[in-house]
Amino acid sequence: MSDERLQKILAQWGIASRRLAEQMIVAGRVRVNGNIARLGQKANPDRDLIEVDGVPVKPTDRPACVYLLLNKPAGVVSTCRDPRARSKVLDLLPPKLRYGQGIHPVGRLDADSTGALLLTNNGKLTFCLTHPRHSIAKTYQVWVRGDPPETVLQAWRQGIILSGRKTLPAKVRILDRAGDQTLLEIILSEGRNRQIRRIAEQLGYPVVRLHRTAIGPILLQPPGSPILPPGCYRPLEDAEIIFLWNLVNLTSISVPANLEEHSI
């Protein structure tokens, strides 16, 4: 293993996120070969003695890579920590995955939204999948208030100006109608903050419920299988993991040295 920045090592070992690891280093809680570490310092766990609060970090303690699909329920936030003490996606995992593994969400669904959310402890994959250069399609079922006509749907498909910048083309079609609400299927290849909700509000058809059913070919309900229940998770299949890495490898992206494990 080559030398790597200490904060990256601590994150890969599931000890802390990059940001928290940096804070621990600045606070003098990390030592390398008996000396207090400095921010930006590199080390090699196979050669150097790294200690956190006096406890050695052993190369054999590094957790294996984990790739999960979670069906996020409403009212749960897609973060690892929340100052308002709300329920978090990691709270839905068993203790053996919740602690010491470095698992974090890949992207976010807002608290009121539900559905497919990837979780992993592979920071490089997280960075690459959330980089604007990638265009992994995400499929949503969205109930909106009212009955949007074809002209509105076509405008949505072509792109809407949000914060001074036009959205990428989207696929939008009607799946159902019930009373004063319409169910839309929306497929996006970008993920700006609350994008669907903001567009729907701007067009005059506010979102009532928003549910993500798929991330690329990774489905909450694969053909011939029962749907993943809300609040539950499953490991990704080998083919699904290969799809994600193939997508990453199609585009060369330089991962910055200060990459945060919990970006987005």
Side-chain angles (χ1 to χ4, degrees):
M1 182 176 181
S2 60
D3 288 7
E4 294 184 300
R5 293 178 185 269
L6 282 170
Q7 59 264 38
K8 181 178 180 180
I9 294 172
L10 298 184
Q12 290 175 334
W13 262 246
I15 294 170
S17 69
R18 294 279 181 106
R19 182 176 302 166
L20 182 56
E22 290 174 354
Q23 294 172 357
M24 295 167 69
I25 294 169
V26 171
R29 297 171 56 189
V30 182
R31 289 179 176 266
V32 178
N33 299 325
N35 301 314
I36 295 177
R38 65 183 186 279
L39 192 62
Q41 183 175 346
K42 291 186 176 182
N44 185 330
D46 293 329
R47 181 193 65 227
D48 299 310
L49 174 61
I50 303 171
E51 297 174 286
V52 178
D53 296 332
V55 179
V57 176
K58 301 177 182 179
T60 54
D61 293 338
R62 182 175 182 174
C65 287
V66 176
Y67 306 93
L68 306 173
L69 177 67
L70 173 75
N71 187 352
K72 189 189 89 65
V76 178
V77 295
S78 303
T79 59
C80 297
R81 296 178 300 277
D82 183 65
R84 294 162 55 184
R86 293 174 294 179
S87 179
K88 306 175 292 297
V89 290
L90 294 190
D91 297 334
L92 302 172
L93 303 180
K96 66 179 181 179
L97 292 176
R98 194 183 315 158
Y99 304 112
Q101 298 294 315
I103 295 175
H104 53 272
V106 180
R108 288 181 178 170
L109 283 171
D110 63 57
D112 296 329
S113 300
T114 63
L117 183 68
L118 295 177
L119 303 174
T120 186
N121 56 0
N122 192 308
K124 179 179 179 180
L125 182 67
T126 298
F127 173 79
C128 291
L129 290 179
T130 54
H131 193 282
R133 188 175 299 179
H134 284 300
S135 57
I136 183 169
K138 299 180 180 69
T139 305
Y140 301 82
Q141 290 188 357
V142 184
W143 282 99
V144 298
R145 197 170 305 283
D147 184 8
E150 181 61 24
T151 53
V152 168
L153 300 182
Q154 186 59 25
W156 198 332
R157 295 179 189 120
Q158 294 175 348
I160 300 294
I161 301 297
L162 286 181
S163 301
R165 187 162 54 95
K166 192 174 184 179
T167 60
L168 295 179
K171 296 180 180 179
V172 184
R173 67 186 181 105
I174 293 175
L175 295 180
D176 196 10
R177 292 183 177 88
D180 65 344
Q181 297 181 12
T182 302
L183 176 61
L184 303 175
E185 179 186 76
I186 302 172
I187 303 178
L188 299 181
S189 57
E190 63 178 338
R192 299 197 213 172
N193 183 40
R194 297 176 66 87
Q195 179 172 333
I196 291 177
R197 294 181 182 275
R198 291 163 62 198
I199 291 177
E201 185 74 29
Q202 186 170 309
L203 293 175
Y205 301 88
V207 168
V208 179
R209 293 192 300 277
L210 188 153
H211 180 70
R212 186 156 68 195
T213 60
I215 300 171
I218 303 172
L219 310 175
L220 285 180
Q221 186 172 17
S225 301
I227 190 169
L228 187 65
C232 295
Y233 69 93
R234 66 168 176 84
L236 294 191
E237 301 288 344
D238 289 346
E240 294 171 329
I241 298 172
I242 291 171
F243 163 79
L244 295 176
W245 279 112
N246 282 342
L247 181 68
V248 167
N249 293 332
L250 284 175
T251 308
S252 176
I253 293 178
S254 176
V255 181
N258 63 348
L259 164 64
E260 294 292 342
E261 291 292 337
H262 306 303
S263 58
I264 316 137

